[in-house]
Amino acid sequence: MGAQQVAERFTELYGTAPEGVWAAPGRVNLIGEHTDYNDGFVMPFALPHQAVAAVSRRDDGLLRLHSADVAGGVAELRLDGLAPGSDSAWTAYPAGVVWALREAGHEVTGADVHLSSTVPTGAGLSSSAALEVVIALALDDLYGLGLQRWQLARLCQRAENVYVGAPTGIMDQTASACCTSGHALFLDTRDLSQRQIPFDLAAEGLRLLVVDTQVKHAHSGGEYGKRRAGCEKGAALLGVDALRDVPYDGLEAALARLGDEEEVVRLVRHVVTENHRVERVVDLLRAGRTHAIGPALTEGHASLRDDFRISCPELDLVVDTALAGGALGARMTGGGFGGSAIVLAQATDVDTLTKSVEEAFAAAGFAPPRVFEATPSAGAHRLI
């Protein structure tokens, strides 16, 4: 999927060449799951898979949208008719960004858009965030809004939370907007401070596999919202602004204060220990000990499976099979209830591990997984 191909399709659709073509990537979260809406720490990196958008401005209050990946013609929306909850189709994501920009006082008077994406949908790799960020970056450039990348991420999160109705945190949009090639992004989701942490797997003879289980999930579904509400309840019971404020060395005392709130206890334990795992991984990577991060990844999966309870048989099978085959670490990544798992392995073991996972899925009667290597890539940028 080249930029020129997307531009040419735009011209076929709208009768004139686009003013530009932009790209925004999906992401893999290395560690730090369900911590972002608890003001905690996350550590994503950008994938080479990306959403690409050819865009031109309009001055008549009309938003025209087309996707190469969705059946149907050009969708036409009036800007003055954009409102949260008014759209349940894929168009809610780009339309929500336009709505969020205008709600924030930015003068966006319309656009023609053609989109194409290689980010797998429903795989926990932030296909929706890539779609939002590419639209935000294009409109920021075209309308000269002068927004910083973290501001674009915030507006995209608002679009997803309020317009689409999915209660996601800030990580996905920030990763798509701000990641750099060859690095993982250590993000403090409370103050949005960032550190780019070198993550050069190839230099150390390592690979990170993504295993898309092909089990689809949807963040706007109720289970994700229940976990978030449970975390908020835990913070309220403990008298803190967010679970980020519960110290790791004070965890047992905090859990004891929660008494018989069994579900809240599990959620709090996961978030506090996961924040600690992120800090451990940062320290190891900064010390050049990438090989040593595997146990933290595996511990994270156990916590997501047993405490947060958002895994599924397919994800557990990936992790168990990979570890049995000699992987250094493995865990589910993304929002859960399906999606993808990641596997840290020696480069020499990739083919064997891939075959083992595929055979295990076949033996279990599951649909074949999609397995590919994840290379830390660049964040959103203009192509043409």
Side-chain angles (χ1 to χ4, degrees):
M1 182 193 62
Q4 194 60 46
Q5 180 183 353
V6 175
E8 290 171 357
R9 180 60 176 142
F10 179 99
T11 303
E12 294 173 4
L13 289 164
Y14 299 116
T16 185
E19 292 185 82
V21 179
W22 292 260
R27 66 96 188 99
V28 163
N29 193 24
L30 182 63
I31 192 73
E33 217 66 79
H34 287 269
T35 51
D36 58 346
Y37 54 79
N38 289 291
D39 283 2
F41 305 126
V42 295
M43 202 172 183
F45 64 89
L47 288 167
H49 306 72
Q50 56 191 9
V52 176
V55 185
S56 287
R57 290 167 290 183
R58 299 182 66 92
D59 60 7
D60 58 359
L62 190 65
L63 176 63
R64 298 199 294 182
L65 301 167
H66 185 268
S67 171
D69 309 306
V70 180
V74 174
E76 294 191 0
L77 304 171
R78 299 292 313 179
L79 298 192
D80 56 12
L82 300 181
S86 63
D87 188 354
S88 60
W90 71 270
T91 50
Y93 294 96
V97 172
V98 176
W99 170 85
L101 286 167
R102 285 165 57 86
E103 282 285 300
H106 300 294
E107 189 175 351
V108 175
T109 56
D112 286 339
V113 178
H114 171 59
L115 290 150
S116 184
S117 179
T118 57
V119 185
T121 59
L125 303 176
S126 297
S127 58
S128 60
L131 184 56
E132 293 156 357
V133 169
V134 75
I135 296 298
L137 181 61
L139 295 177
D140 178 58
D141 280 358
L142 289 175
Y143 282 97
L145 304 180
L147 295 169
Q148 299 295 314
R149 290 301 181 94
W150 67 267
Q151 293 174 304
L152 290 177
R154 274 289 193 210
L155 286 163
C156 290
Q157 182 200 16
R158 177 166 168 75
E160 186 147 350
N161 289 174
V162 180
Y163 196 92
V164 178
T168 54
I170 190 62
M171 174 183 65
D172 295 350
Q173 292 84 0
T174 303
S176 186
C178 300
C179 280
T180 61
S181 179
H183 293 79
L185 180 70
F186 177 40
L187 173 66
D188 182 334
T189 65
R190 169 164 284 169
D191 62 13
L192 299 188
S193 60
Q194 304 175 16
R195 274 192 285 166
Q196 301 287 347
I197 308 297
F199 190 46
D200 189 350
L201 293 158
E204 300 190 48
L206 301 174
R207 297 291 186 272
L208 192 77
L209 297 178
V210 175
V211 182
D212 177 3
T213 65
Q214 306 286 349
V215 178
K216 303 301 181 184
H217 68 175
H219 274 174
S220 54
E223 291 300 318
Y224 185 99
K226 288 179 184 177
R227 302 307 189 278
R228 183 165 185 163
C231 290
E232 292 169 353
K233 180 180 179 180
L237 290 172
L238 292 171
V240 295
D241 290 336
L243 294 183
R244 148 74 172 276
D245 298 312
V246 180
Y248 179 72
D249 58 7
L251 175 59
E252 291 308 316
L255 297 182
R257 288 170 56 197
L258 293 172
D260 60 359
E261 292 278 357
E262 179 185 353
E263 183 176 1
V264 176
V265 165
R266 290 189 286 98
L267 298 178
V268 171
R269 182 166 53 219
H270 166 74
V271 172
V272 176
T273 58
E274 186 80 345
N275 277 325
H276 184 62
R277 283 186 284 272
V278 176
E279 294 180 299
R280 283 168 54 197
V281 169
V282 169
D283 289 343
L284 288 168
L285 291 180
R286 294 184 70 188
R289 299 179 59 204
T290 307
H291 286 76
I293 71 172
L297 303 185
T298 304
E299 291 166 22
H301 182 78
S303 183
L304 290 162
R305 180 192 64 210
D306 300 335
D307 276 343
F308 235 66
R309 299 187 181 181
I310 58 172
S311 189
C312 66
E314 291 85 352
L315 288 168
D316 293 341
L317 184 59
V318 174
V319 172
D320 293 345
T321 303
L323 294 175
L328 301 177
R331 75 172 190 91
M332 57 156 288
T333 187
F337 311 106
S340 298
I342 56 174
V343 177
L344 180 69
Q346 300 281 358
T348 52
D349 293 337
V350 165
D351 290 344
T352 301
L353 286 171
T354 299
K355 183 178 180 181
S356 295
V357 169
E358 291 172 343
E359 290 177 345
F361 267 56
F366 297 151
R370 179 188 180 204
V371 185
F372 59 91
E373 291 183 20
T375 304
S377 301
H381 57 285
R382 187 167 185 160
L383 296 173
I384 297 177

